[in-house]
Amino acid sequence: MAGSARARIIALAVGRSWIVVEGRLPRSAASYLHAVLRERCGAQPVVFLDLRQAELAGGEETRGVFLPDGPRVFHVMAGEPWHSLLSRDRRVRWHGDAEEAWRAWCSAP
């Protein structure tokens, strides 16, 4: 089944961007996310990534890390299976909700 995902930047500031990914991702979720994030992150050293509304296609297992090189820190809001998929990436900082992530956004240098 084809994906119907959408990624949008909802906030930009010096040195950081906030990206929301929502909808059903295509079967090649890892390569799709890698390409989208590389395009949208640009040279931003800090990226806030909301994956709470992003769904993997049934039975999809993303292999390998899909976060692009470049950003030093990814602030992520997501549940399973995202948490398991990103648990080994040391650049990831987890946030339980948008309010917590927003506090981190406001305090970012």
Side-chain angles (χ1 to χ4, degrees), residues 64-86:
V65 178
F66 60 82
L67 297 178
D69 292 336
R72 293 188 308 262
V73 178
F74 284 91
H75 291 265
V76 179
M77 290 176 291
E80 286 299 333
W82 303 109
H83 199 92
S84 295
L85 294 170
L86 296 171

Side-chain angles (χ1 to χ4, degrees), residues 10-98:
I10 62 168
L12 283 172
V14 175
R16 62 192 186 274
S17 59
W18 190 308
I19 300 169
V20 174
V21 179
E22 56 193 5
R24 181 175 291 271
L25 297 170
R27 285 258 180 233
S28 56
S31 60
Y32 169 81
L33 281 172
H34 184 83
V36 165
L37 293 175
R38 190 178 62 238
E39 174 188 320
R40 303 286 168 107
C41 295
Q44 300 286 2
V46 178
V47 174
F48 286 73
L49 181 59
D50 185 345
L51 294 170
R52 294 175 298 166
Q53 300 299 316
E55 302 173 33
L56 291 172
E60 171 77 9
E61 288 185 29
T62 59
R63 291 183 175 83
V65 178
F66 60 82
L67 297 178
D69 292 336
R72 293 188 308 262
V73 178
F74 284 91
H75 291 265
V76 179
M77 290 176 291
E80 286 299 333
W82 303 109
H83 199 92
S84 295
L85 294 170
L86 296 171
S87 64
R88 292 187 177 185
D89 194 318
R90 294 178 183 209
R91 300 173 296 163
V92 173
R93 307 293 181 267
W94 293 101
H95 298 285
D97 56 33

